[in-house]
Amino acid sequence: MADTNEEAIAKLEAAATNPKQVTVDGVTVQTHSLKDQIELDQYLARKKAAQKGGMRFQKIVPPGTA
């Protein structure tokens, strides 16, 4: 999970420049698609924002009224 927007951008740029699939000595490694990584980052950002509390509604009653 990226802590800051700059870290998220750096990770996405690194993922975009690296090869999608690598095979070395019969071992194959494939990363998730860039679209999936961006969607995950957006989901985590929304989840983190939702934990902050969001909007609150209060009824304001001026003093001296019944």
Side-chain angles (χ1 to χ4, degrees), residues 17-51:
T17 58
N18 290 336
K20 180 175 180 171
Q21 185 174 4
V22 177
T23 303
V24 177
D25 295 330
V27 178
T28 302
V29 178
Q30 184 173 0
T31 62
H32 294 282
S33 70
L34 187 57
K35 179 183 176 190
D36 290 342
Q37 292 179 20
I38 291 171
E39 288 176 356
L40 174 65
D41 185 57
Q42 291 173 346
Y43 168 77
L44 293 173
R46 287 191 303 266
K47 187 174 179 181
K48 187 176 181 181
Q51 291 175 348

PDB file of all heavy atoms in Angstrom, residues 17-51:
ATOM      1  N   THR A  17       7.425   0.256 -16.525  1.00  0.00           N
ATOM      2  CA  THR A  17       8.680   0.116 -17.251  1.00  0.00           C
ATOM      3  C   THR A  17       9.276  -1.283 -17.150  1.00  0.00           C
ATOM      4  O   THR A  17      10.095  -1.660 -17.975  1.00  0.00           O
ATOM      5  CB  THR A  17       9.714   1.137 -16.751  1.00  0.00           C
ATOM      6  OG1 THR A  17       9.921   0.949 -15.349  1.00  0.00           O
ATOM      7  CG2 THR A  17       9.244   2.558 -17.007  1.00  0.00           C
ATOM      8  N   ASN A  18       8.877  -2.061 -16.152  1.00  0.00           N
ATOM      9  CA  ASN A  18       9.379  -3.427 -16.009  1.00  0.00           C
ATOM     10  C   ASN A  18       8.660  -4.356 -16.978  1.00  0.00           C
ATOM     11  O   ASN A  18       7.522  -4.098 -17.364  1.00  0.00           O
ATOM     12  CB  ASN A  18       9.158  -3.927 -14.575  1.00  0.00           C
ATOM     13  CG  ASN A  18      10.049  -3.214 -13.581  1.00  0.00           C
ATOM     14  OD1 ASN A  18      11.082  -2.694 -13.933  1.00  0.00           O
ATOM     15  ND2 ASN A  18       9.632  -3.193 -12.330  1.00  0.00           N
ATOM     16  N   PRO A  19       9.318  -5.468 -17.356  1.00  0.00           N
ATOM     17  CA  PRO A  19       8.633  -6.419 -18.240  1.00  0.00           C
ATOM     18  C   PRO A  19       7.474  -7.091 -17.523  1.00  0.00           C
ATOM     19  O   PRO A  19       7.489  -7.265 -16.304  1.00  0.00           O
ATOM     20  CB  PRO A  19       9.731  -7.430 -18.575  1.00  0.00           C
ATOM     21  CG  PRO A  19      10.744  -7.285 -17.510  1.00  0.00           C
ATOM     22  CD  PRO A  19      10.669  -5.864 -17.028  1.00  0.00           C
ATOM     23  N   LYS A  20       6.454  -7.461 -18.287  1.00  0.00           N
ATOM     24  CA  LYS A  20       5.269  -8.071 -17.692  1.00  0.00           C
ATOM     25  C   LYS A  20       5.562  -9.498 -17.235  1.00  0.00           C
ATOM     26  O   LYS A  20       5.098  -9.936 -16.195  1.00  0.00           O
ATOM     27  CB  LYS A  20       4.115  -8.080 -18.699  1.00  0.00           C
ATOM     28  CG  LYS A  20       2.863  -8.697 -18.132  1.00  0.00           C
ATOM     29  CD  LYS A  20       1.715  -8.599 -19.080  1.00  0.00           C
ATOM     30  CE  LYS A  20       0.501  -9.255 -18.418  1.00  0.00           C
ATOM     31  NZ  LYS A  20      -0.700  -9.033 -19.172  1.00  0.00           N
ATOM     32  N   GLN A  21       6.350 -10.220 -18.005  1.00  0.00           N
ATOM     33  CA  GLN A  21       6.623 -11.615 -17.689  1.00  0.00           C
ATOM     34  C   GLN A  21       8.108 -11.882 -17.846  1.00  0.00           C
ATOM     35  O   GLN A  21       8.719 -11.453 -18.818  1.00  0.00           O
ATOM     36  CB  GLN A  21       5.815 -12.531 -18.610  1.00  0.00           C
ATOM     37  CG  GLN A  21       5.934 -13.981 -18.290  1.00  0.00           C
ATOM     38  CD  GLN A  21       5.005 -14.822 -19.136  1.00  0.00           C
ATOM     39  OE1 GLN A  21       4.316 -14.314 -20.013  1.00  0.00           O
ATOM     40  NE2 GLN A  21       4.984 -16.114 -18.889  1.00  0.00           N
ATOM     41  N   VAL A  22       8.673 -12.617 -16.873  1.00  0.00           N
ATOM     42  CA  VAL A  22      10.097 -12.944 -16.904  1.00  0.00           C
ATOM     43  C   VAL A  22      10.243 -14.440 -16.681  1.00  0.00           C
ATOM     44  O   VAL A  22       9.606 -15.012 -15.796  1.00  0.00           O
ATOM     45  CB  VAL A  22      10.844 -12.173 -15.788  1.00  0.00           C
ATOM     46  CG1 VAL A  22      12.302 -12.555 -15.763  1.00  0.00           C
ATOM     47  CG2 VAL A  22      10.691 -10.686 -15.962  1.00  0.00           C
ATOM     48  N   THR A  23      11.110 -15.068 -17.472  1.00  0.00           N
ATOM     49  CA  THR A  23      11.401 -16.487 -17.296  1.00  0.00           C
ATOM     50  C   THR A  23      12.897 -16.658 -17.117  1.00  0.00           C
ATOM     51  O   THR A  23      13.682 -16.250 -17.972  1.00  0.00           O
ATOM     52  CB  THR A  23      10.923 -17.300 -18.519  1.00  0.00           C
ATOM     53  OG1 THR A  23       9.535 -17.067 -18.701  1.00  0.00           O
ATOM     54  CG2 THR A  23      11.175 -18.773 -18.321  1.00  0.00           C
ATOM     55  N   VAL A  24      13.284 -17.248 -15.980  1.00  0.00           N
ATOM     56  CA  VAL A  24      14.690 -17.501 -15.693  1.00  0.00           C
ATOM     57  C   VAL A  24      14.809 -18.927 -15.173  1.00  0.00           C
ATOM     58  O   VAL A  24      14.170 -19.289 -14.176  1.00  0.00           O
ATOM     59  CB  VAL A  24      15.249 -16.511 -14.652  1.00  0.00           C
ATOM     60  CG1 VAL A  24      16.691 -16.838 -14.305  1.00  0.00           C
ATOM     61  CG2 VAL A  24      15.117 -15.089 -15.135  1.00  0.00           C
ATOM     62  N   ASP A  25      15.613 -19.742 -15.826  1.00  0.00           N
ATOM     63  CA  ASP A  25      15.849 -21.132 -15.421  1.00  0.00           C
ATOM     64  C   ASP A  25      14.551 -21.899 -15.205  1.00  0.00           C
ATOM     65  O   ASP A  25      14.400 -22.640 -14.238  1.00  0.00           O
ATOM     66  CB  ASP A  25      16.701 -21.194 -14.149  1.00  0.00           C
ATOM     67  CG  ASP A  25      18.099 -20.650 -14.363  1.00  0.00           C
ATOM     68  OD1 ASP A  25      18.597 -20.758 -15.508  1.00  0.00           O
ATOM     69  OD2 ASP A  25      18.687 -20.127 -13.405  1.00  0.00           O
ATOM     70  N   GLY A  26      13.591 -21.711 -16.062  1.00  0.00           N
ATOM     71  CA  GLY A  26      12.334 -22.439 -15.974  1.00  0.00           C
ATOM     72  C   GLY A  26      11.328 -21.860 -14.990  1.00  0.00           C
ATOM     73  O   GLY A  26      10.242 -22.389 -14.833  1.00  0.00           O
ATOM     74  N   VAL A  27      11.707 -20.784 -14.287  1.00  0.00           N
ATOM     75  CA  VAL A  27      10.789 -20.142 -13.344  1.00  0.00           C
ATOM     76  C   VAL A  27      10.206 -18.917 -14.027  1.00  0.00           C
ATOM     77  O   VAL A  27      10.937 -18.046 -14.475  1.00  0.00           O
ATOM     78  CB  VAL A  27      11.507 -19.745 -12.040  1.00  0.00           C
ATOM     79  CG1 VAL A  27      10.549 -19.044 -11.106  1.00  0.00           C
ATOM     80  CG2 VAL A  27      12.119 -20.966 -11.377  1.00  0.00           C
ATOM     81  N   THR A  28       8.877 -18.852 -14.097  1.00  0.00           N
ATOM     82  CA  THR A  28       8.206 -17.745 -14.768  1.00  0.00           C
ATOM     83  C   THR A  28       7.523 -16.860 -13.735  1.00  0.00           C
ATOM     84  O   THR A  28       6.828 -17.357 -12.847  1.00  0.00           O
ATOM     85  CB  THR A  28       7.154 -18.273 -15.755  1.00  0.00           C
ATOM     86  OG1 THR A  28       7.807 -19.126 -16.696  1.00  0.00           O
ATOM     87  CG2 THR A  28       6.467 -17.135 -16.491  1.00  0.00           C
ATOM     88  N   VAL A  29       7.737 -15.566 -13.857  1.00  0.00           N
ATOM     89  CA  VAL A  29       7.115 -14.583 -12.970  1.00  0.00           C
ATOM     90  C   VAL A  29       6.328 -13.607 -13.833  1.00  0.00           C
ATOM     91  O   VAL A  29       6.840 -13.091 -14.816  1.00  0.00           O
ATOM     92  CB  VAL A  29       8.178 -13.826 -12.146  1.00  0.00           C
ATOM     93  CG1 VAL A  29       7.522 -12.788 -11.267  1.00  0.00           C
ATOM     94  CG2 VAL A  29       8.999 -14.793 -11.320  1.00  0.00           C
ATOM     95  N   GLN A  30       5.072 -13.375 -13.454  1.00  0.00           N
ATOM     96  CA  GLN A  30       4.236 -12.440 -14.198  1.00  0.00           C
ATOM     97  C   GLN A  30       3.575 -11.503 -13.199  1.00  0.00           C
ATOM     98  O   GLN A  30       3.027 -11.933 -12.197  1.00  0.00           O
ATOM     99  CB  GLN A  30       3.180 -13.195 -15.001  1.00  0.00           C
ATOM    100  CG  GLN A  30       2.335 -12.302 -15.866  1.00  0.00           C
ATOM    101  CD  GLN A  30       1.414 -13.099 -16.775  1.00  0.00           C
ATOM    102  OE1 GLN A  30       1.402 -14.321 -16.751  1.00  0.00           O
ATOM    103  NE2 GLN A  30       0.647 -12.407 -17.573  1.00  0.00           N
ATOM    104  N   THR A  31       3.608 -10.197 -13.481  1.00  0.00           N
ATOM    105  CA  THR A  31       3.009  -9.216 -12.583  1.00  0.00           C
ATOM    106  C   THR A  31       1.546  -8.990 -12.955  1.00  0.00           C
ATOM    107  O   THR A  31       1.103  -9.356 -14.039  1.00  0.00           O
ATOM    108  CB  THR A  31       3.747  -7.862 -12.660  1.00  0.00           C
ATOM    109  OG1 THR A  31       3.634  -7.357 -13.983  1.00  0.00           O
ATOM    110  CG2 THR A  31       5.204  -8.009 -12.290  1.00  0.00           C
ATOM    111  N   HIS A  32       0.816  -8.384 -12.041  1.00  0.00           N
ATOM    112  CA  HIS A  32      -0.561  -8.010 -12.338  1.00  0.00           C
ATOM    113  C   HIS A  32      -0.550  -6.889 -13.365  1.00  0.00           C
ATOM    114  O   HIS A  32       0.408  -6.136 -13.477  1.00  0.00           O
ATOM    115  CB  HIS A  32      -1.256  -7.525 -11.067  1.00  0.00           C
ATOM    116  CG  HIS A  32      -1.418  -8.599 -10.050  1.00  0.00           C
ATOM    117  ND1 HIS A  32      -2.386  -9.566 -10.135  1.00  0.00           N
ATOM    118  CD2 HIS A  32      -0.733  -8.877  -8.916  1.00  0.00           C
ATOM    119  CE1 HIS A  32      -2.297 -10.381  -9.117  1.00  0.00           C
ATOM    120  NE2 HIS A  32      -1.299  -9.988  -8.349  1.00  0.00           N
ATOM    121  N   SER A  33      -1.630  -6.785 -14.086  1.00  0.00           N
ATOM    122  CA  SER A  33      -1.701  -5.761 -15.124  1.00  0.00           C
ATOM    123  C   SER A  33      -1.678  -4.370 -14.490  1.00  0.00           C
ATOM    124  O   SER A  33      -2.048  -4.190 -13.326  1.00  0.00           O
ATOM    125  CB  SER A  33      -2.968  -5.927 -15.960  1.00  0.00           C
ATOM    126  OG  SER A  33      -4.105  -5.580 -15.189  1.00  0.00           O
ATOM    127  N   LEU A  34      -1.243  -3.413 -15.260  1.00  0.00           N
ATOM    128  CA  LEU A  34      -1.172  -2.033 -14.778  1.00  0.00           C
ATOM    129  C   LEU A  34      -2.561  -1.517 -14.415  1.00  0.00           C
ATOM    130  O   LEU A  34      -2.730  -0.812 -13.411  1.00  0.00           O
ATOM    131  CB  LEU A  34      -0.526  -1.143 -15.837  1.00  0.00           C
ATOM    132  CG  LEU A  34      -0.230   0.293 -15.440  1.00  0.00           C
ATOM    133  CD1 LEU A  34       0.668   0.319 -14.209  1.00  0.00           C
ATOM    134  CD2 LEU A  34       0.421   1.030 -16.578  1.00  0.00           C
ATOM    135  N   LYS A  35      -3.571  -1.923 -15.179  1.00  0.00           N
ATOM    136  CA  LYS A  35      -4.947  -1.517 -14.883  1.00  0.00           C
ATOM    137  C   LYS A  35      -5.361  -2.032 -13.507  1.00  0.00           C
ATOM    138  O   LYS A  35      -5.966  -1.298 -12.714  1.00  0.00           O
ATOM    139  CB  LYS A  35      -5.893  -2.053 -15.953  1.00  0.00           C
ATOM    140  CG  LYS A  35      -7.338  -1.705 -15.709  1.00  0.00           C
ATOM    141  CD  LYS A  35      -8.253  -2.310 -16.760  1.00  0.00           C
ATOM    142  CE  LYS A  35      -9.691  -2.017 -16.414  1.00  0.00           C
ATOM    143  NZ  LYS A  35     -10.617  -2.757 -17.252  1.00  0.00           N
ATOM    144  N   ASP A  36      -5.019  -3.287 -13.196  1.00  0.00           N
ATOM    145  CA  ASP A  36      -5.349  -3.864 -11.886  1.00  0.00           C
ATOM    146  C   ASP A  36      -4.620  -3.130 -10.767  1.00  0.00           C
ATOM    147  O   ASP A  36      -5.179  -2.904  -9.698  1.00  0.00           O
ATOM    148  CB  ASP A  36      -4.994  -5.339 -11.841  1.00  0.00           C
ATOM    149  CG  ASP A  36      -5.894  -6.194 -12.716  1.00  0.00           C
ATOM    150  OD1 ASP A  36      -6.986  -5.717 -13.084  1.00  0.00           O
ATOM    151  OD2 ASP A  36      -5.494  -7.333 -13.027  1.00  0.00           O
ATOM    152  N   GLN A  37      -3.371  -2.743 -10.992  1.00  0.00           N
ATOM    153  CA  GLN A  37      -2.602  -2.023  -9.974  1.00  0.00           C
ATOM    154  C   GLN A  37      -3.196  -0.649  -9.709  1.00  0.00           C
ATOM    155  O   GLN A  37      -3.281  -0.210  -8.565  1.00  0.00           O
ATOM    156  CB  GLN A  37      -1.143  -1.902 -10.404  1.00  0.00           C
ATOM    157  CG  GLN A  37      -0.419  -3.232 -10.416  1.00  0.00           C
ATOM    158  CD  GLN A  37       1.015  -3.101 -10.868  1.00  0.00           C
ATOM    159  OE1 GLN A  37       1.598  -2.031 -10.827  1.00  0.00           O
ATOM    160  NE2 GLN A  37       1.594  -4.200 -11.320  1.00  0.00           N
ATOM    161  N   ILE A  38      -3.630   0.032 -10.757  1.00  0.00           N
ATOM    162  CA  ILE A  38      -4.240   1.347 -10.603  1.00  0.00           C
ATOM    163  C   ILE A  38      -5.574   1.222  -9.865  1.00  0.00           C
ATOM    164  O   ILE A  38      -5.870   2.009  -8.956  1.00  0.00           O
ATOM    165  CB  ILE A  38      -4.432   2.033 -11.973  1.00  0.00           C
ATOM    166  CG1 ILE A  38      -3.061   2.396 -12.560  1.00  0.00           C
ATOM    167  CG2 ILE A  38      -5.305   3.274 -11.854  1.00  0.00           C
ATOM    168  CD1 ILE A  38      -3.120   2.869 -13.993  1.00  0.00           C
ATOM    169  N   GLU A  39      -6.372   0.219 -10.229  1.00  0.00           N
ATOM    170  CA  GLU A  39      -7.647   0.010  -9.548  1.00  0.00           C
ATOM    171  C   GLU A  39      -7.445  -0.319  -8.071  1.00  0.00           C
ATOM    172  O   GLU A  39      -8.197   0.157  -7.216  1.00  0.00           O
ATOM    173  CB  GLU A  39      -8.435  -1.105 -10.235  1.00  0.00           C
ATOM    174  CG  GLU A  39      -9.006  -0.705 -11.576  1.00  0.00           C
ATOM    175  CD  GLU A  39      -9.692  -1.854 -12.295  1.00  0.00           C
ATOM    176  OE1 GLU A  39      -9.654  -2.999 -11.779  1.00  0.00           O
ATOM    177  OE2 GLU A  39     -10.243  -1.614 -13.376  1.00  0.00           O
ATOM    178  N   LEU A  40      -6.421  -1.100  -7.753  1.00  0.00           N
ATOM    179  CA  LEU A  40      -6.116  -1.420  -6.364  1.00  0.00           C
ATOM    180  C   LEU A  40      -5.712  -0.169  -5.595  1.00  0.00           C
ATOM    181  O   LEU A  40      -6.175   0.062  -4.476  1.00  0.00           O
ATOM    182  CB  LEU A  40      -5.009  -2.468  -6.277  1.00  0.00           C
ATOM    183  CG  LEU A  40      -4.509  -2.773  -4.867  1.00  0.00           C
ATOM    184  CD1 LEU A  40      -5.616  -3.418  -4.050  1.00  0.00           C
ATOM    185  CD2 LEU A  40      -3.286  -3.645  -4.904  1.00  0.00           C
ATOM    186  N   ASP A  41      -4.892   0.664  -6.202  1.00  0.00           N
ATOM    187  CA  ASP A  41      -4.471   1.900  -5.552  1.00  0.00           C
ATOM    188  C   ASP A  41      -5.664   2.815  -5.298  1.00  0.00           C
ATOM    189  O   ASP A  41      -5.792   3.408  -4.226  1.00  0.00           O
ATOM    190  CB  ASP A  41      -3.420   2.619  -6.404  1.00  0.00           C
ATOM    191  CG  ASP A  41      -2.860   3.837  -5.706  1.00  0.00           C
ATOM    192  OD1 ASP A  41      -2.332   3.687  -4.579  1.00  0.00           O
ATOM    193  OD2 ASP A  41      -2.963   4.940  -6.269  1.00  0.00           O
ATOM    194  N   GLN A  42      -6.578   2.918  -6.263  1.00  0.00           N
ATOM    195  CA  GLN A  42      -7.775   3.743  -6.089  1.00  0.00           C
ATOM    196  C   GLN A  42      -8.675   3.174  -5.002  1.00  0.00           C
ATOM    197  O   GLN A  42      -9.222   3.919  -4.191  1.00  0.00           O
ATOM    198  CB  GLN A  42      -8.538   3.850  -7.415  1.00  0.00           C
ATOM    199  CG  GLN A  42      -7.818   4.668  -8.454  1.00  0.00           C
ATOM    200  CD  GLN A  42      -8.497   4.616  -9.801  1.00  0.00           C
ATOM    201  OE1 GLN A  42      -9.367   3.780 -10.058  1.00  0.00           O
ATOM    202  NE2 GLN A  42      -8.099   5.517 -10.696  1.00  0.00           N
ATOM    203  N   TYR A  43      -8.813   1.860  -4.963  1.00  0.00           N
ATOM    204  CA  TYR A  43      -9.635   1.219  -3.934  1.00  0.00           C
ATOM    205  C   TYR A  43      -9.065   1.488  -2.544  1.00  0.00           C
ATOM    206  O   TYR A  43      -9.795   1.842  -1.620  1.00  0.00           O
ATOM    207  CB  TYR A  43      -9.709  -0.288  -4.191  1.00  0.00           C
ATOM    208  CG  TYR A  43     -10.280  -1.060  -3.031  1.00  0.00           C
ATOM    209  CD1 TYR A  43     -11.645  -1.059  -2.789  1.00  0.00           C
ATOM    210  CD2 TYR A  43      -9.462  -1.783  -2.171  1.00  0.00           C
ATOM    211  CE1 TYR A  43     -12.183  -1.761  -1.718  1.00  0.00           C
ATOM    212  CE2 TYR A  43      -9.984  -2.478  -1.097  1.00  0.00           C
ATOM    213  CZ  TYR A  43     -11.340  -2.475  -0.879  1.00  0.00           C
ATOM    214  OH  TYR A  43     -11.860  -3.154   0.184  1.00  0.00           O
ATOM    215  N   LEU A  44      -7.754   1.333  -2.397  1.00  0.00           N
ATOM    216  CA  LEU A  44      -7.133   1.568  -1.099  1.00  0.00           C
ATOM    217  C   LEU A  44      -7.236   3.027  -0.681  1.00  0.00           C
ATOM    218  O   LEU A  44      -7.434   3.328   0.501  1.00  0.00           O
ATOM    219  CB  LEU A  44      -5.669   1.114  -1.127  1.00  0.00           C
ATOM    220  CG  LEU A  44      -5.473  -0.402  -1.280  1.00  0.00           C
ATOM    221  CD1 LEU A  44      -4.001  -0.718  -1.460  1.00  0.00           C
ATOM    222  CD2 LEU A  44      -6.067  -1.158  -0.116  1.00  0.00           C
ATOM    223  N   ALA A  45      -7.146   3.946  -1.644  1.00  0.00           N
ATOM    224  CA  ALA A  45      -7.289   5.373  -1.327  1.00  0.00           C
ATOM    225  C   ALA A  45      -8.711   5.680  -0.865  1.00  0.00           C
ATOM    226  O   ALA A  45      -8.912   6.433   0.099  1.00  0.00           O
ATOM    227  CB  ALA A  45      -6.929   6.219  -2.551  1.00  0.00           C
ATOM    228  N   ARG A  46      -9.712   5.084  -1.524  1.00  0.00           N
ATOM    229  CA  ARG A  46     -11.101   5.288  -1.107  1.00  0.00           C
ATOM    230  C   ARG A  46     -11.354   4.688   0.268  1.00  0.00           C
ATOM    231  O   ARG A  46     -12.052   5.273   1.097  1.00  0.00           O
ATOM    232  CB  ARG A  46     -12.065   4.677  -2.129  1.00  0.00           C
ATOM    233  CG  ARG A  46     -12.174   5.463  -3.416  1.00  0.00           C
ATOM    234  CD  ARG A  46     -13.336   4.972  -4.279  1.00  0.00           C
ATOM    235  NE  ARG A  46     -13.241   3.563  -4.601  1.00  0.00           N
ATOM    236  CZ  ARG A  46     -12.689   3.077  -5.723  1.00  0.00           C
ATOM    237  NH1 ARG A  46     -12.195   3.892  -6.614  1.00  0.00           N
ATOM    238  NH2 ARG A  46     -12.653   1.778  -5.935  1.00  0.00           N
ATOM    239  N   LYS A  47     -10.784   3.526   0.519  1.00  0.00           N
ATOM    240  CA  LYS A  47     -10.957   2.863   1.808  1.00  0.00           C
ATOM    241  C   LYS A  47     -10.322   3.697   2.929  1.00  0.00           C
ATOM    242  O   LYS A  47     -10.907   3.856   3.989  1.00  0.00           O
ATOM    243  CB  LYS A  47     -10.322   1.475   1.759  1.00  0.00           C
ATOM    244  CG  LYS A  47     -10.580   0.640   2.970  1.00  0.00           C
ATOM    245  CD  LYS A  47     -10.044  -0.763   2.771  1.00  0.00           C
ATOM    246  CE  LYS A  47     -10.276  -1.590   4.006  1.00  0.00           C
ATOM    247  NZ  LYS A  47      -9.738  -2.945   3.848  1.00  0.00           N
ATOM    248  N   LYS A  48      -9.150   4.251   2.670  1.00  0.00           N
ATOM    249  CA  LYS A  48      -8.468   5.090   3.658  1.00  0.00           C
ATOM    250  C   LYS A  48      -9.260   6.372   3.900  1.00  0.00           C
ATOM    251  O   LYS A  48      -9.386   6.831   5.038  1.00  0.00           O
ATOM    252  CB  LYS A  48      -7.058   5.416   3.173  1.00  0.00           C
ATOM    253  CG  LYS A  48      -6.215   6.143   4.184  1.00  0.00           C
ATOM    254  CD  LYS A  48      -4.801   6.335   3.663  1.00  0.00           C
ATOM    255  CE  LYS A  48      -3.946   7.050   4.674  1.00  0.00           C
ATOM    256  NZ  LYS A  48      -2.581   7.262   4.159  1.00  0.00           N
ATOM    257  N   ALA A  49      -9.832   6.953   2.852  1.00  0.00           N
ATOM    258  CA  ALA A  49     -10.619   8.177   3.000  1.00  0.00           C
ATOM    259  C   ALA A  49     -11.899   7.909   3.781  1.00  0.00           C
ATOM    260  O   ALA A  49     -12.349   8.760   4.549  1.00  0.00           O
ATOM    261  CB  ALA A  49     -10.948   8.756   1.622  1.00  0.00           C
ATOM    262  N   ALA A  50     -12.484   6.733   3.614  1.00  0.00           N
ATOM    263  CA  ALA A  50     -13.723   6.403   4.313  1.00  0.00           C
ATOM    264  C   ALA A  50     -13.483   6.240   5.812  1.00  0.00           C
ATOM    265  O   ALA A  50     -14.383   6.483   6.619  1.00  0.00           O
ATOM    266  CB  ALA A  50     -14.317   5.131   3.748  1.00  0.00           C
ATOM    267  N   GLN A  51     -12.287   5.870   6.211  1.00  0.00           N
ATOM    268  CA  GLN A  51     -11.971   5.690   7.622  1.00  0.00           C
ATOM    269  C   GLN A  51     -11.803   7.012   8.348  1.00  0.00           C
ATOM    270  O   GLN A  51     -11.818   7.055   9.570  1.00  0.00           O
ATOM    271  CB  GLN A  51     -10.698   4.865   7.783  1.00  0.00           C
ATOM    272  CG  GLN A  51     -10.867   3.431   7.364  1.00  0.00           C
ATOM    273  CD  GLN A  51      -9.568   2.658   7.423  1.00  0.00           C
ATOM    274  OE1 GLN A  51      -8.505   3.230   7.568  1.00  0.00           O
ATOM    275  NE2 GLN A  51      -9.675   1.345   7.299  1.00  0.00           N
TER     276      GLN A  51
END
